[in-house]
């Protein structure tokens, strides 16, 4: 994995013409958020040596590299998940790659189910904290000299303040990262809400852990695409709501990058 990371990062640095300022992970249906924002070069994940690949509707499966608001940005349009059979290290390869090419800020986005009764589909929620309920951790076996990473303030208060100054209507809450791929039963939804979760999804928490282990500042944004426990929730519905809300996310990202 280290050799593959070194190979891919060297290629990206050459392609970018220098170190990357910010990395962005775009969740289900959110790749269109970059449309018209910058002249991005596109590199399919199949062109990398170490990037895991798994086709999934709403995930473009490509890295996009360009300058946005004066910042050199590396965006990952789509991700892989534990429920697709990948390891925690494979799921977080993109974060390791972002760190290797110099990124000191990570903006991680996802499509999530709302648990907080005040939320409605289409809301954007800043992640203030998370619960890792996936059962795995990307730092297990990582051979870090100190794997005991402090996760207090994992989601940057500074970056959240910037985001709220751009979009005062943003929600804020705790994200529960679960394994998936099934959506929650009503009992599971009640359980997660009792624990204090405001939204639930199948990504993000491992990426944030991997980023904090590398000293990267993290801004987490969940798009509430459905209400957990509602009948007949399906992936097509999730990606449709995400696509419709992408322009608002794009405006938010535009403002955040301006103020970084």
């Amino acid at each position: 994995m280290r050799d593959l990371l070194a190979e891919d990062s060297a290629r990206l640095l050459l392609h970018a013409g220098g170190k990357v300022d910010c990395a962005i992970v775009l969740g289900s249906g959110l790749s269109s958020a970059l449309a018209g924002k910058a002249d991005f070069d596109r590199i399919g994940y199949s062109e990398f040596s170490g990037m895991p690949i798994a086709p999934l509707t709403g995930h473009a499966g490509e890295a996009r590299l360009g300058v946005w608001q004066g910042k050199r940005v590396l965006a990952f349009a789509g991700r892989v998940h534990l429920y697709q059979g990948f390891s925690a290290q494979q799921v977080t390869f993109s974060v390791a790659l972002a760190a290797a090419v110099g990124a000191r800020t990570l903006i991680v986005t996802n499509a999530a189910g709302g648990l907080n009764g005040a939320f409605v589909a289409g809301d954007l929620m800043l992640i203030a904290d998370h619960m890792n309920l996936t059962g795995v951790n990307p730092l297990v076996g990582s051979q870090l000299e100190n794997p005991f990473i402090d996760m207090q303030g994992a989601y940057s208060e500074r970056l959240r303040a910037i985001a709220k100054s751009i979009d005062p209507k943003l929600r804020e809450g705790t994200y529960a990262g679960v394994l998936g791929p099934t959506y929650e039963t009503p009992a599971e939804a009640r359980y997660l809400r009792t624990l204090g979760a405001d939204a639930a999804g199948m990504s993000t928490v491992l990426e944030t852990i991997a980023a904090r282990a590398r000293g990267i500042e993290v801004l987490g944004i969940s798009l509430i695409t459905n209400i957990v426990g509602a009948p007949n929730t399906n992936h097509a519905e999730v990606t449709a709501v995400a696509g419709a809300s992408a322009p608002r996310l794009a405006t938010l990202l535009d403002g955040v990058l301006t103020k970084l």
Side-chain angles (χ1 to χ4, degrees):
M1 183 74 76
R2 288 182 179 178
D3 290 342
L4 297 178
L5 181 62
E7 183 179 334
D8 286 341
S9 61
R11 180 187 173 199
L12 268 181
L13 283 170
L14 183 64
H15 193 84
K19 290 186 176 181
V20 166
D21 299 303
C22 177
I24 302 173
V25 179
L26 295 164
S28 295
L30 294 173
S31 297
S32 59
L34 299 187
K37 291 297 179 182
D39 185 17
F40 285 98
D41 292 331
R42 302 186 178 206
I43 308 170
Y45 289 166
S46 62
E47 297 182 45
F48 290 94
S49 300
M51 186 72 73
I53 304 169
L56 183 64
T57 301
H59 291 258
E62 62 187 20
R64 298 178 184 176
L65 191 62
V67 177
W68 185 359
Q69 293 295 351
K71 311 298 189 302
R72 192 175 282 119
V73 173
L74 171 62
F76 297 98
R79 54 158 66 90
V80 298
H81 306 78
L82 292 170
Y83 65 74
Q84 292 168 302
F86 293 98
S87 69
Q89 286 71 33
Q90 288 174 308
V91 167
T92 56
F93 184 83
S94 59
V95 175
L97 182 57
V101 296
R104 306 312 302 156
T105 302
L106 173 68
I107 302 174
V108 60
T109 73
N110 61 60
L115 293 160
N116 187 318
F119 290 1
V120 297
D123 279 345
L124 288 178
M125 184 192 85
L126 294 176
I127 304 176
D129 203 352
H130 79 218
M131 303 176 190
N132 180 12
L133 304 179
T134 66
V136 298
N137 189 304
L139 304 188
V140 173
S142 64
Q143 299 181 336
L144 288 175
E145 184 176 341
N146 174 25
F148 306 107
I149 305 302
D150 185 1
M151 293 298 290
Q152 295 287 331
Y155 297 91
S156 169
E157 186 174 349
R158 180 184 78 89
L159 294 180
R160 281 186 282 132
I162 290 173
K164 284 185 283 188
S165 73
I166 296 158
D167 188 342
K169 293 183 179 181
L170 290 169
R171 303 286 193 173
E172 193 166 18
T174 297
Y175 175 88
V178 297
L179 178 60
T182 53
Y183 294 112
E184 291 73 23
T185 66
E188 289 167 341
R190 292 193 299 272
Y191 167 71
L192 291 172
R193 185 60 182 148
T194 299
L195 289 179
D198 296 288
M202 306 168 195
S203 66
T204 302
V205 293
L206 303 187
E207 293 160 336
T208 298
I209 292 168
R212 294 305 301 140
R214 293 167 172 83
I216 297 175
E217 192 175 16
V218 179
L219 175 65
I221 305 168
S222 291
L223 169 60
I224 306 302
T225 52
N226 61 286
I227 303 304
V228 174
N232 303 318
T233 300
N234 58 72
H235 189 63
E237 173 192 347
V238 167
T239 54
V241 173
S245 301
R248 183 183 174 196
L249 176 63
T251 299
L252 177 60
L253 295 178
D254 199 57
V256 170
L257 286 167
T258 300
K259 296 186 176 185
L260 281 182

